[in-house]
Amino acid sequence: MNPDYQKIDEKHYLPTFKRFPLTIVKGKGSRVWDSNGKEYIDAMAGIAVNSLGHSHPKVVKAIKDQAEKLIHVSNFYLTEPQAKLSEKLAKLSGLPRVFFGNSGAEANEGAIKIARKYAHTHNRGGEVISFEGCFHGRTLATIATGKSSMQEGFEPIPTGFKILPFNNIEAVRETVSAQTAAIIVEPVQGEGGVVVAEVEFIKQLRKLCNEHNILLIFDEIQCGIGRTGHFFAKEGFGVQPDILTSAKALGSGVPISAILTKEKVARIMKPGDHGTTFGGNALATAASLAAIEAIEEEGLIDQAKEKGEWFIKKVREKNPGSIGIKEIRGLGLMLGFEFDMETKPLVEEMMHNGILANATAENVLRIVPPLNISYDDMEKVIEIMFKSAKKIKENA
């Protein structure tokens, strides 16, 4: 890390991140460069954000062109790119109503709020069911859905949340009552270690929600926008939620999120029930439109599926057990490699060898590269993963 920038960061930024000693100054495609000029392959993509890689020309042009015309106005007024993006997402999702925000946590918070309004309108309580291993954000309501370690020191935690075992439909059946407003679930848990929901579990959640007029919320903040080999991960499960949340790759690095809903959900909302200053402004929606168009034009959804399968096949061919890999999980280019050791040291060793990756759930290496990453770069990621893991094992 550039020592001058590091001093500034340590002096002024709230100490909420345990940063790596790296100051990134430039990116192009699946490569980034630090302040010392060292080049890295980015297999993290800003945590599944930069699905088009860095500085994609179509997105860069859209941002430049829109910035010269109009960046922001209040949501008291409509802008052309916002209307176009609303229509585009409605067509892609089959969910006709959209609300734009700025981040994944904000989208999930809004989804919970909307679900409670719907429930109260239908004389139900406001409880929300979530699942062990989930991560829906770091606002007060979203940490209430997740693990207790994220809640410590922030009490009193909002009430009305119940956390159940993942992929356990019987636990859900036993918990659902007239007080249940919604069930929120990630089709693929990202922070939980890239754990894929069982198809039958998701289908039974849909059936249960239909029976009790409970809203089913899919959190596709990380697994959506082509990441799993479908534009939305829900397509691989054959289930339509009542509400779907999206962010991360939606703006290809420009902050934007979306709450997508069925018409029956939208009908209970009135002017003033929810709002945002920056959400869905002209610049963010123009960038998002360009990103979606690029994903479609370049066939990146199919590429995500094909490249993910190729990556797993290549890893299996190299005897993954020899470096401590216990299990390989994921869909498309959302991959998790569970090791028999903590993976933070592995991430650090890979970084020293020119690869940026991510450790999650203590012993899982998460690989979420740009969807347009080359096969040569993926080959290098695998090579360095094995090389780095072997070195750690030898020095243990």
Side-chain angles (χ1 to χ4, degrees):
M1 183 180 284
N2 183 297
D4 293 333
Y5 293 143
Q6 186 174 13
K7 288 178 183 176
I8 292 169
D9 183 67
E10 290 174 352
K11 182 178 180 180
H12 295 293
Y13 198 88
L14 202 65
T16 53
F17 300 108
K18 190 175 181 181
R19 298 193 198 270
F20 292 105
L22 203 66
T23 301
I24 296 175
V25 297
K26 185 176 70 171
K28 188 68 177 175
S30 59
R31 305 292 180 105
V32 295
W33 288 262
D34 69 16
S35 54
N36 295 318
K38 183 176 178 179
E39 183 177 342
Y40 303 81
I41 296 173
D42 186 3
M44 186 178 173
I47 315 182
V49 169
N50 301 315
S51 289
L52 293 168
H54 299 272
S55 302
H56 189 283
K58 188 178 183 76
V59 178
V60 169
K61 184 178 186 303
I63 292 170
K64 285 182 175 179
D65 290 349
Q66 187 61 48
E68 289 178 347
K69 291 190 294 185
L70 180 71
I71 293 176
H72 176 83
V73 293
S74 163
N75 273 304
F76 283 121
Y77 314 103
L78 181 63
T79 66
E80 182 181 342
Q82 186 186 98
K84 287 182 175 179
L85 183 60
S86 296
E87 182 180 48
K88 183 70 172 177
L89 289 175
K91 287 180 178 177
L92 286 167
S93 68
L95 297 166
R97 294 287 188 157
V98 185
F99 180 88
F100 293 114
N102 309 285
S103 71
E106 182 184 342
N108 285 332
E109 180 103 15
I112 291 167
K113 183 179 173 184
I114 293 166
R116 283 183 167 172
K117 177 73 184 293
Y118 179 89
H120 295 328
T121 303
H122 291 82
N123 299 312
R124 297 187 64 85
E127 286 183 352
V128 175
I129 291 172
S130 59
F131 297 97
E132 293 172 0
C134 75
F135 178 80
H136 300 295
R138 285 188 170 88
T139 62
L140 277 173
T142 53
I143 65 171
T145 66
K147 56 187 179 183
S148 58
S149 61
M150 285 192 174
Q151 301 172 8
E152 292 171 5
F154 301 106
E155 299 85 356
I157 300 299
T159 58
F161 296 90
K162 291 187 174 180
I163 305 169
L164 303 179
F166 192 47
N167 280 327
N168 187 332
I169 194 62
E170 290 306 319
V172 184
R173 287 195 181 104
E174 291 171 6
T175 304
V176 160
S177 71
Q179 294 303 308
T180 309
I183 297 172
I184 184 168
V185 62
E186 297 161 275
V188 185
Q189 292 187 336
E191 298 298 318
V194 192
V195 181
V196 183
E198 295 171 2
V199 173
E200 189 57 27
F201 174 66
I202 295 294
K203 288 183 180 295
Q204 288 301 314
L205 284 181
R206 177 69 279 173
K207 185 172 183 288
L208 194 61
C209 287
N210 289 345
E211 290 169 355
H212 296 275
N213 198 21
I214 295 166
L215 295 187
L216 181 59
I217 304 170
F218 278 5
D219 175 348
E220 293 212 20
I221 304 302
Q222 187 170 149
C223 64
I225 319 297
R227 175 60 54 185
T228 66
H230 298 278
F231 191 83
F232 288 113
K234 70 183 179 70
E235 296 160 27
F237 295 83
V239 170
Q240 182 73 303
D242 300 295
I243 301 175
L244 183 147
T245 57
S246 178
K248 286 193 181 286
L250 183 60
S252 194
V254 175
I256 183 172
S257 65
I259 304 170
L260 307 170
T261 81
K262 289 182 176 177
E263 188 63 42
K264 72 172 187 178
V265 178
R267 279 198 295 267
I268 57 90
M269 299 297 286
K270 297 181 174 62
D273 278 351
H274 202 49
T276 175
T277 296
F278 294 108
N281 75 16
L283 188 70
T285 49
S288 180
L289 273 169
I292 292 170
E293 288 171 4
I295 287 170
E296 292 178 325
E297 291 166 2
E298 296 175 24
L300 295 184
I301 295 172
D302 288 339
Q303 283 192 44
K305 183 176 184 296
E306 292 163 7
K307 288 175 178 176
E309 290 172 352
W310 181 92
F311 199 103
I312 291 172
K313 179 174 176 287
K314 288 294 181 181
V315 171
R316 291 195 191 282
E317 288 173 356
K318 292 174 70 71
N319 187 16
S322 67
I323 59 169
I325 294 178
K326 296 164 57 181
E327 186 178 357
I328 300 173
R329 299 190 290 265
L331 292 174
L333 277 174
M334 186 173 179
L335 302 173
F337 300 88
E338 183 179 338
F339 281 77
D340 61 3
M341 62 183 180
E342 287 190 18
T343 47
K344 284 184 180 178
L346 175 59
V347 167
E348 291 174 2
E349 184 63 28
M350 290 177 68
M351 183 183 68
H352 293 317
N353 286 285
I355 304 293
L356 302 185
N358 176 247
T360 189
E362 295 185 1
N363 64 339
V364 176
L365 180 73
R366 176 168 45 178
I367 301 291
V368 283
L371 305 185
N372 54 5
I373 188 172
S374 69
Y375 283 92
D376 285 345
D377 279 358
M378 289 195 294
E379 190 85 64
K380 189 67 174 179
V381 172
I382 295 169
E383 176 194 329
I384 295 301
M385 178 174 73
F386 273 78
K387 176 184 174 181
S388 300
K390 283 177 181 176
K391 181 178 178 180
I392 290 170
K393 290 283 186 183
E394 289 168 1
N395 295 337

